[in-house]
Amino acid sequence: MEAATLGAVGTIVVGLAAAAAAIVGQRGANRASQSGAVLGGYSMLVDQLQEERDKAQAKLAENETRLAAAYAELAGERADKAALQTQITTLTAENARLRERIVELGGQPT
């Protein structure tokens, strides 16, 4: 072969190799881009889940505070009820004693 033909064939081979390298490089860039998009989407989902978790934790803390307040109120009402029950028992006993005393004194209890 002549030198000119060899030079032309060499140029074609080099051109094809450069084109193949460009295609492979573009595929690698596309993969990196897609990988970046996937990682970006994953990161966004993780952020959203963390925000949702934080909101749920805040709501849980608020509910626990309200529950503790309700239990405290219930305990107070139970104490009040117990005090009233004691007062009712005391007054009932006092009424019975007074009725007996009225009978002892010759009266008729009403």
Side-chain angles (χ1 to χ4, degrees):
M1 285 197 173
E2 293 183 14
T5 305
L6 286 176
V9 169
T11 302
I12 291 171
V13 169
V14 169
L16 290 174
I23 290 172
V24 170
Q26 182 63 34
R27 285 186 181 173
N30 285 343
R31 283 190 198 131
S33 173
Q34 289 173 349
S35 176
V38 168
L39 289 177
Y42 174 78
S43 177
M44 185 175 64
L45 287 175
V46 169
D47 290 344
Q48 288 175 348
L49 287 173
Q50 288 174 340
E51 287 176 14
E52 188 174 334
R53 181 201 61 207
D54 292 344
K55 286 178 186 177
Q57 285 176 335
K59 183 69 174 171
L60 177 62
E62 177 187 343
N63 285 350
E64 287 177 347
T65 301
R66 291 173 61 198
L67 182 61
Y71 274 125
E73 183 180 347
L74 179 61
E77 288 178 3
R78 285 181 178 165
D80 291 345
K81 180 183 176 186
L84 288 173
Q85 201 65 32
T86 301
Q87 188 177 6
I88 288 170
T89 302
T90 303
L91 291 173
T92 302
E94 179 70 13
N95 283 348
R97 188 188 64 77
L98 290 173
R99 288 179 199 278
E100 289 175 7
R101 184 70 177 140
I102 290 172
V103 170
E104 286 176 5
L105 294 173
Q108 197 69 3
T110 56

Short mmCIF file of all heavy atoms in Angstrom, two decimals, residues 19-57:
data_model
loop_
_atom_site.label_atom_id
_atom_site.label_comp_id
_atom_site.label_asym_id
_atom_site.label_seq_id
_atom_site.Cartn_x
_atom_site.Cartn_y
_atom_site.Cartn_z
N ALA A 19 -14.70 8.38 17.80
CA ALA A 19 -16.16 8.34 17.85
C ALA A 19 -16.63 7.32 18.87
O ALA A 19 -17.56 7.56 19.65
CB ALA A 19 -16.72 8.02 16.47
N ALA A 20 -15.98 6.14 18.87
CA ALA A 20 -16.34 5.11 19.84
C ALA A 20 -16.08 5.60 21.26
O ALA A 20 -16.89 5.38 22.18
CB ALA A 20 -15.57 3.83 19.56
N ALA A 21 -14.97 6.26 21.46
CA ALA A 21 -14.65 6.80 22.79
C ALA A 21 -15.67 7.85 23.20
O ALA A 21 -16.08 7.92 24.38
CB ALA A 21 -13.24 7.39 22.79
N ALA A 22 -16.11 8.67 22.26
CA ALA A 22 -17.11 9.70 22.56
C ALA A 22 -18.44 9.06 22.95
O ALA A 22 -19.12 9.50 23.89
CB ALA A 22 -17.30 10.62 21.36
N ILE A 23 -18.83 7.99 22.25
CA ILE A 23 -20.08 7.29 22.57
C ILE A 23 -19.99 6.67 23.96
O ILE A 23 -20.91 6.79 24.77
CB ILE A 23 -20.39 6.23 21.49
CG1 ILE A 23 -20.78 6.92 20.18
CG2 ILE A 23 -21.50 5.30 21.96
CD1 ILE A 23 -20.92 5.98 19.00
N VAL A 24 -18.88 5.99 24.22
CA VAL A 24 -18.70 5.37 25.54
C VAL A 24 -18.69 6.45 26.63
O VAL A 24 -19.30 6.29 27.69
CB VAL A 24 -17.41 4.52 25.57
CG1 VAL A 24 -17.08 4.08 26.99
CG2 VAL A 24 -17.56 3.32 24.66
N GLY A 25 -18.02 7.55 26.36
CA GLY A 25 -17.98 8.66 27.33
C GLY A 25 -19.35 9.24 27.57
O GLY A 25 -19.72 9.57 28.70
N GLN A 26 -20.16 9.36 26.52
CA GLN A 26 -21.51 9.90 26.66
C GLN A 26 -22.38 8.96 27.48
O GLN A 26 -23.16 9.40 28.32
CB GLN A 26 -22.13 10.15 25.28
CG GLN A 26 -23.51 10.76 25.32
CD GLN A 26 -23.51 12.15 25.94
OE1 GLN A 26 -22.58 12.91 25.80
NE2 GLN A 26 -24.57 12.47 26.67
N ARG A 27 -22.24 7.65 27.25
CA ARG A 27 -23.00 6.69 28.04
C ARG A 27 -22.62 6.78 29.52
O ARG A 27 -23.47 6.70 30.40
CB ARG A 27 -22.74 5.27 27.54
CG ARG A 27 -23.46 4.96 26.25
CD ARG A 27 -23.28 3.51 25.90
NE ARG A 27 -23.96 3.20 24.64
CZ ARG A 27 -23.86 2.07 24.02
NH1 ARG A 27 -23.09 1.11 24.52
NH2 ARG A 27 -24.51 1.85 22.90
N GLY A 28 -21.34 6.93 29.78
CA GLY A 28 -20.88 7.09 31.16
C GLY A 28 -21.45 8.35 31.79
O GLY A 28 -21.87 8.35 32.95
N ALA A 29 -21.51 9.43 31.01
CA ALA A 29 -22.08 10.68 31.52
C ALA A 29 -23.57 10.50 31.78
O ALA A 29 -24.10 11.01 32.78
CB ALA A 29 -21.83 11.82 30.53
N ASN A 30 -24.26 9.79 30.89
CA ASN A 30 -25.69 9.54 31.09
C ASN A 30 -25.92 8.71 32.35
O ASN A 30 -26.84 8.99 33.12
CB ASN A 30 -26.29 8.82 29.88
CG ASN A 30 -26.48 9.73 28.68
OD1 ASN A 30 -26.46 10.94 28.82
ND2 ASN A 30 -26.63 9.15 27.51
N ARG A 31 -25.08 7.69 32.55
CA ARG A 31 -25.21 6.88 33.76
C ARG A 31 -24.98 7.72 35.00
O ARG A 31 -25.70 7.60 35.99
CB ARG A 31 -24.22 5.72 33.72
CG ARG A 31 -24.65 4.60 32.83
CD ARG A 31 -23.76 3.38 33.01
NE ARG A 31 -23.93 2.51 31.86
CZ ARG A 31 -22.95 1.99 31.17
NH1 ARG A 31 -21.70 2.22 31.50
NH2 ARG A 31 -23.20 1.21 30.15
N ALA A 32 -23.97 8.55 34.95
CA ALA A 32 -23.68 9.41 36.10
C ALA A 32 -24.83 10.37 36.35
O ALA A 32 -25.22 10.61 37.50
CB ALA A 32 -22.39 10.18 35.87
N SER A 33 -25.40 10.89 35.27
CA SER A 33 -26.53 11.81 35.40
C SER A 33 -27.74 11.09 36.00
O SER A 33 -28.41 11.62 36.90
CB SER A 33 -26.88 12.39 34.04
OG SER A 33 -28.05 13.16 34.12
N GLN A 34 -28.01 9.88 35.48
CA GLN A 34 -29.13 9.12 36.02
C GLN A 34 -28.87 8.73 37.47
O GLN A 34 -29.77 8.79 38.30
CB GLN A 34 -29.37 7.86 35.18
CG GLN A 34 -29.94 8.15 33.81
CD GLN A 34 -30.02 6.91 32.94
OE1 GLN A 34 -29.46 5.87 33.27
NE2 GLN A 34 -30.71 7.03 31.81
N SER A 35 -27.67 8.36 37.77
CA SER A 35 -27.32 8.01 39.14
C SER A 35 -27.50 9.22 40.05
O SER A 35 -28.02 9.09 41.16
CB SER A 35 -25.88 7.51 39.19
OG SER A 35 -25.50 7.25 40.52
N GLY A 36 -27.09 10.37 39.57
CA GLY A 36 -27.28 11.60 40.34
C GLY A 36 -28.74 11.91 40.55
O GLY A 36 -29.15 12.32 41.64
N ALA A 37 -29.57 11.69 39.52
CA ALA A 37 -31.00 11.93 39.66
C ALA A 37 -31.62 10.97 40.65
O ALA A 37 -32.45 11.35 41.48
CB ALA A 37 -31.69 11.80 38.30
N VAL A 38 -31.18 9.71 40.61
CA VAL A 38 -31.70 8.72 41.55
C VAL A 38 -31.29 9.08 42.97
O VAL A 38 -32.10 9.06 43.90
CB VAL A 38 -31.20 7.30 41.17
CG1 VAL A 38 -31.48 6.32 42.29
CG2 VAL A 38 -31.86 6.84 39.88
N LEU A 39 -30.03 9.43 43.16
CA LEU A 39 -29.56 9.81 44.49
C LEU A 39 -30.25 11.09 44.97
O LEU A 39 -30.58 11.20 46.15
CB LEU A 39 -28.04 9.99 44.49
CG LEU A 39 -27.23 8.69 44.36
CD1 LEU A 39 -25.75 9.00 44.30
CD2 LEU A 39 -27.54 7.75 45.49
N GLY A 40 -30.47 12.03 44.06
CA GLY A 40 -31.18 13.26 44.43
C GLY A 40 -32.61 12.97 44.84
O GLY A 40 -33.11 13.50 45.83
N GLY A 41 -33.28 12.08 44.09
CA GLY A 41 -34.65 11.68 44.44
C GLY A 41 -34.69 10.94 45.77
O GLY A 41 -35.57 11.17 46.60
N TYR A 42 -33.71 10.09 45.98
CA TYR A 42 -33.63 9.35 47.25
C TYR A 42 -33.43 10.31 48.41
O TYR A 42 -34.07 10.19 49.45
CB TYR A 42 -32.47 8.34 47.17
CG TYR A 42 -32.21 7.62 48.46
CD1 TYR A 42 -33.03 6.57 48.86
CD2 TYR A 42 -31.15 7.97 49.29
CE1 TYR A 42 -32.81 5.89 50.04
CE2 TYR A 42 -30.92 7.31 50.48
CZ TYR A 42 -31.74 6.27 50.85
OH TYR A 42 -31.52 5.62 52.02
N SER A 43 -32.53 11.26 48.21
CA SER A 43 -32.26 12.25 49.26
C SER A 43 -33.52 13.06 49.58
O SER A 43 -33.81 13.32 50.75
CB SER A 43 -31.14 13.19 48.81
OG SER A 43 -30.91 14.18 49.77
N MET A 44 -34.27 13.42 48.55
CA MET A 44 -35.51 14.18 48.76
C MET A 44 -36.53 13.34 49.53
O MET A 44 -37.17 13.83 50.46
CB MET A 44 -36.10 14.60 47.42
CG MET A 44 -37.32 15.50 47.53
SD MET A 44 -37.91 16.11 45.95
CE MET A 44 -38.41 14.61 45.16
N LEU A 45 -36.64 12.06 49.20
CA LEU A 45 -37.57 11.18 49.91
C LEU A 45 -37.15 11.01 51.37
O LEU A 45 -37.99 11.02 52.28
CB LEU A 45 -37.64 9.81 49.24
CG LEU A 45 -38.38 9.75 47.91
CD1 LEU A 45 -38.25 8.37 47.30
CD2 LEU A 45 -39.84 10.12 48.09
N VAL A 46 -35.86 10.87 51.61
CA VAL A 46 -35.37 10.74 52.99
C VAL A 46 -35.69 12.01 53.77
O VAL A 46 -36.14 11.95 54.92
CB VAL A 46 -33.85 10.45 53.00
CG1 VAL A 46 -33.28 10.60 54.39
CG2 VAL A 46 -33.59 9.05 52.46
N ASP A 47 -35.48 13.17 53.14
CA ASP A 47 -35.80 14.44 53.81
C ASP A 47 -37.29 14.52 54.15
O ASP A 47 -37.66 14.94 55.25
CB ASP A 47 -35.40 15.63 52.94
CG ASP A 47 -33.89 15.80 52.82
OD1 ASP A 47 -33.16 15.19 53.64
OD2 ASP A 47 -33.45 16.52 51.90
N GLN A 48 -38.13 14.11 53.22
CA GLN A 48 -39.57 14.14 53.46
C GLN A 48 -39.96 13.19 54.59
O GLN A 48 -40.78 13.52 55.45
CB GLN A 48 -40.34 13.79 52.19
CG GLN A 48 -40.29 14.86 51.13
CD GLN A 48 -40.95 14.42 49.83
OE1 GLN A 48 -41.25 13.24 49.64
NE2 GLN A 48 -41.17 15.36 48.92
N LEU A 49 -39.36 12.01 54.60
CA LEU A 49 -39.65 11.05 55.67
C LEU A 49 -39.18 11.57 57.02
O LEU A 49 -39.87 11.41 58.02
CB LEU A 49 -38.98 9.71 55.37
CG LEU A 49 -39.61 8.88 54.25
CD1 LEU A 49 -38.76 7.66 53.94
CD2 LEU A 49 -41.01 8.46 54.61
N GLN A 50 -38.04 12.23 57.05
CA GLN A 50 -37.55 12.78 58.30
C GLN A 50 -38.46 13.90 58.80
O GLN A 50 -38.73 14.01 60.00
CB GLN A 50 -36.11 13.29 58.14
CG GLN A 50 -35.11 12.16 58.02
CD GLN A 50 -33.70 12.64 57.70
OE1 GLN A 50 -33.51 13.74 57.22
NE2 GLN A 50 -32.72 11.79 57.96
N GLU A 51 -38.94 14.74 57.88
CA GLU A 51 -39.87 15.80 58.27
C GLU A 51 -41.16 15.21 58.81
O GLU A 51 -41.69 15.66 59.83
CB GLU A 51 -40.18 16.71 57.07
CG GLU A 51 -39.05 17.62 56.67
CD GLU A 51 -39.37 18.42 55.41
OE1 GLU A 51 -40.55 18.47 55.00
OE2 GLU A 51 -38.43 18.99 54.84
N GLU A 52 -41.66 14.18 58.14
CA GLU A 52 -42.89 13.53 58.59
C GLU A 52 -42.69 12.88 59.96
O GLU A 52 -43.55 12.97 60.84
CB GLU A 52 -43.32 12.48 57.57
CG GLU A 52 -44.68 11.87 57.83
CD GLU A 52 -45.13 10.95 56.72
OE1 GLU A 52 -44.69 11.12 55.57
OE2 GLU A 52 -45.93 10.05 57.02
N ARG A 53 -41.54 12.25 60.16
CA ARG A 53 -41.21 11.64 61.45
C ARG A 53 -41.15 12.70 62.54
O ARG A 53 -41.68 12.52 63.63
CB ARG A 53 -39.87 10.91 61.36
CG ARG A 53 -39.47 10.23 62.66
CD ARG A 53 -38.00 9.96 62.77
NE ARG A 53 -37.27 11.21 62.70
CZ ARG A 53 -36.03 11.32 62.25
NH1 ARG A 53 -35.39 10.28 61.82
NH2 ARG A 53 -35.43 12.48 62.22
N ASP A 54 -40.52 13.84 62.24
CA ASP A 54 -40.41 14.92 63.23
C ASP A 54 -41.79 15.46 63.60
O ASP A 54 -42.06 15.73 64.78
CB ASP A 54 -39.52 16.04 62.70
CG ASP A 54 -38.06 15.63 62.56
OD1 ASP A 54 -37.68 14.59 63.15
OD2 ASP A 54 -37.32 16.33 61.85
N LYS A 55 -42.67 15.59 62.61
CA LYS A 55 -44.04 16.06 62.89
C LYS A 55 -44.78 15.05 63.77
O LYS A 55 -45.50 15.43 64.70
CB LYS A 55 -44.81 16.28 61.59
CG LYS A 55 -44.38 17.51 60.82
CD LYS A 55 -45.16 17.63 59.52
CE LYS A 55 -44.65 18.77 58.66
NZ LYS A 55 -45.35 18.85 57.38
N ALA A 56 -44.61 13.77 63.45
CA ALA A 56 -45.28 12.72 64.24
C ALA A 56 -44.75 12.71 65.67
O ALA A 56 -45.53 12.55 66.62
CB ALA A 56 -45.08 11.35 63.58
N GLN A 57 -43.44 12.92 65.84
CA GLN A 57 -42.87 12.95 67.19
C GLN A 57 -43.40 14.16 67.97
O GLN A 57 -43.70 14.05 69.16
CB GLN A 57 -41.34 13.00 67.13
CG GLN A 57 -40.72 11.67 66.75
CD GLN A 57 -39.21 11.75 66.58
OE1 GLN A 57 -38.67 12.81 66.29
NE2 GLN A 57 -38.55 10.62 66.75
#
